[in-house]
Structures are given as structure tokens and as C-alpha cells.
Amino acid sequence: MASREKQPLVYTEACRASVEAALELERLDVNLFRSVRLWKPLPSSRAVFGGQIIGQSLAAAARTVEDATLRVHSLHSYFIRPGDNTTAALYYVRRVRDGSSFATRQVNVQQKGKSIFEALVSFHRPEASLLNYQDAMPLELPSPDSLPTRQENWQSILDAKRNRLPQTMIDFVESRIQAPFPLDMRNCDPTIESFSMRPKRWPREPKQSVWIRAIETLGNEPISHACVAAYASDYHLISTAALAAPRMFTMAASLDHSMWFHAPFRADEWLLYDFKSSRASGGRSLISGQLFRQDGTLVCTIAQEGLARFGELEDARP
């Protein structure tokens, strides 16, 4: 009998078009949740989108914190195995501590009895402090309304380069344009997308800035906006590091991911995501990001180490 390719458990347009649908969890028990809506960025991707796992893990942890005055302030996590969108993901939450000012949760995500992701999430009751400062928001960046959308930018690249692109790249770009997407992302330097498509290029500084927001209007619960930010935070990190390479990577994966939440924000309003990579060697790159509200308030800091391979060993020794 001919084998049949496994299909995603639940794969509708809503799973990709709605960030709230992508973060949906079913509660199976007091500390146990399930997701059947995992999706891959591309059919050829080796794993589901890491940002979805991060966002769902934060959502699962938050649903076990009964004290409504506590707010998430940090998340530290590891990607252990690639996620599979043809089987359900189970989110096991362990209530590590419930204190007067802090609560700590451990989230273990499993598929087929094996761990694919592990996170520690901490919640804190906001309090007054004499210390109050932040990094300044980058200056002289274009406003989001003056920039092309992600789909418009890809279309302009395709229109300008169609006659010079191989069919595989044309198919890739067209699939990016047509695929439903729950976020409005606008790069402050639209030429970066075109730069990334070049088979060979001059390395450039590993930094970029992207305006980002959820397309749909979200509710007023702060944790909903934190989960959407967690979902979005996995975009552009490894690709920022790859800007310094003479060609695009052939394989990439998030290894670990940390977030610190500093101030209230709405994820359905424009946020500036500012990226830079400070170190790359041995196949791994360290990338950091900062999320700013339009009024200049730093609301979130992100750090990730990612794996990027280019078809040959880095720092190879004889």
C-alpha cells in the first residue's frame, strides 16, 4: 500500500490569518493544555514556527496563575526538538512557586512522549521603584505608514526581478505573497528583503528595524498582548545575523529564547522591533531585540541564540 503524507491536524486559513487562533489552547486538566493548530512557515520547513510554541507556552503558564494582579515579566526557554504539525502538542505546566509578589511556572511541551520545548515563566506584581530608566528608541526611522507592507514589498521585488530569478525563487516569493499572515510587518529598510534573496552578496552590518503589529483588533487583557508579542518575537532574529554572511543560510533554527516585559503595550498598535547581532561563531549567532511603543517607551527586550548553516562547516579544522 502506498504511504500517504501525514497532514496537519487542523490546517485552515484561520490558523495562519488569525494570531488569536494560532495561540488557541484546549484545557485538558488543571495544569494540562493541548494545541492542534501548529503550522509551518513554509511547506518545506523542518519544524513548526517557534514563535507559536513560545506564545502558546506563555498562554498556558498564564492560565494557571489565579492572581489577576500578577503580570508576566520574563520568559526563558529552550527549543529541544523540531515541532511537528501532524500531531497534537501537549503543554504540561508545573506550579513551581506562588509567592506574595512573584509566581513561577515551568512549561514542558511534548509530542509523542518527547519534549520539544521547555520554558520557565515568571510573573510579578508591579511596584513602585526609585530606579526608572531605559535605552532610547532609535531616531530618524521612517514611520510605518510610509513603508510598504510585507506583501507589497515582496510583490515589488518579484516585479523587478522576475526575469532574473530562477523558477524555484519565483514560486517561493509568490507563496509568501499569497499565504495568509496575521501580522503587519514593515521593514524600515525595504531593500533588506531583496538583499536576502541574492545568491551572493557583500556582507552588511547585522542589524535592522521592523515595525510590527497584529492585523486583528485584540481584547484588553494584558496577557493577550504579551502572548502576541511572544509569537511575533521569533521573527527576523536569525535573519538579522545572516545579513553579515556572504550568502543566505541553507538551514536555520532557534536554540533558546528569552524575553523581559517592562511596560504595558498593545500588540495591535505599532511597535518598533529593533534588532542587532553581537556575536556569531561555531554555527551559532547571538541576536538581541528591543520592542518600543511609538511614544518611545521600551516595552520588551528579547535575546536569542540561533543556529545558522550555510552548506559547509564553519571554522573547519584539518
Side-chain angles (χ1 to χ4, degrees):
M1 181 181 295
S3 62
R4 296 174 58 188
E5 183 179 353
K6 293 190 295 183
Q7 297 297 316
L9 294 181
V10 178
Y11 194 80
T12 65
E13 294 297 287
C15 297
R16 296 196 61 164
S18 166
V19 70
E20 289 189 318
L23 294 171
E24 184 177 289
L25 291 172
E26 176 189 3
R27 193 167 207 155
L28 301 180
D29 205 342
V30 176
N31 299 317
L32 177 61
F33 304 84
R34 178 173 64 183
S35 171
V36 295
R37 291 182 177 271
L38 301 179
W39 66 278
K40 293 182 177 181
L42 293 168
S44 59
S45 299
R46 64 188 294 269
V48 300
F49 174 49
Q52 186 178 20
I53 300 292
I54 300 169
Q56 289 185 344
S57 295
L58 176 54
R63 288 176 66 176
T64 69
V65 177
E66 283 80 19
D67 189 339
T69 66
L70 296 176
R71 299 283 186 267
V72 61
H73 78 91
S74 68
L75 177 151
H76 304 279
S77 62
Y78 281 92
F79 292 91
I80 301 170
R81 292 181 176 87
D84 180 0
N85 68 337
T86 67
T87 188
L90 296 176
Y91 291 72
Y92 296 86
V93 181
R94 185 166 72 91
R95 303 184 186 218
V96 179
R97 179 176 183 266
D98 286 293
S100 58
S101 298
F102 288 87
T104 306
R105 298 292 184 265
Q106 181 183 28
V107 184
N108 176 248
V109 187
Q110 295 189 19
Q111 289 185 309
K112 298 180 179 178
K114 294 182 178 181
S115 296
I116 66 168
F117 183 82
E118 189 87 26
L120 276 175
V121 187
S122 184
F123 300 81
H124 176 226
R125 181 174 296 105
E127 55 189 80
S129 173
L130 292 176
L131 287 174
N132 192 353
Y133 57 86
Q134 67 162 72
D135 284 348
M137 182 176 175
L139 301 175
E140 300 180 357
L141 292 176
S143 68
D145 293 334
S146 69
L147 295 166
T149 66
R150 180 175 181 263
Q151 290 80 3
E152 289 170 346
N153 196 25
W154 278 105
Q155 187 64 58
S156 66
I157 294 170
L158 191 60
D159 293 342
K161 298 181 180 246
R162 183 182 290 271
N163 294 335
R164 289 174 285 162
L165 292 175
Q167 189 61 44
T168 53
M169 181 59 72
I170 292 174
D171 294 342
F172 168 77
V173 175
E174 287 181 339
S175 69
R176 295 286 294 268
I177 294 170
Q178 297 168 7
F181 195 65
L183 303 174
D184 189 348
M185 298 194 302
R186 307 189 185 194
N187 202 305
C188 291
D189 181 359
T191 66
I192 284 181
E193 294 281 10
S194 177
F195 173 84
S196 299
M197 291 170 54
R198 299 174 189 172
K200 295 182 180 180
R201 70 251 182 131
W202 291 106
R204 58 191 291 174
E205 190 174 5
K207 60 188 300 185
Q208 61 179 321
S209 299
V210 179
W211 288 104
I212 190 166
R213 67 177 176 182
I215 292 176
E216 59 195 305
T217 301
L218 306 174
N220 294 322
E221 288 294 325
I223 191 60
S224 297
H225 296 268
C227 289
V228 172
Y231 175 96
S233 68
D234 196 36
Y235 280 107
H236 294 295
L237 289 162
I238 300 177
S239 61
T240 296
L243 294 174
R247 62 180 184 273
M248 194 58 175
F249 51 75
T250 57
M251 180 270 187
S254 304
L255 299 176
D256 55 25
H257 192 93
S258 292
M259 301 183 70
W260 296 265
F261 298 85
H262 310 304
F265 62 92
R266 291 192 64 91
D268 53 5
E269 296 178 355
W270 285 117
L271 297 167
L272 180 71
Y273 200 172
D274 187 56
F275 305 85
K276 67 177 180 180
S277 178
S278 56
R279 176 64 169 157
S281 66
R284 303 187 314 276
S285 302
L286 180 63
I287 315 101
S288 59
Q290 294 179 309
L291 276 176
F292 294 89
R293 292 194 316 235
Q294 280 191 287
D295 65 3
T297 301
L298 176 61
V299 299
C300 191
T301 299
I302 299 98
Q304 181 182 103
E305 191 173 47
L307 177 70
R309 291 175 175 159
F310 296 85
E312 60 185 43
L313 292 177
E314 183 182 359
D315 295 336
R317 297 290 186 268

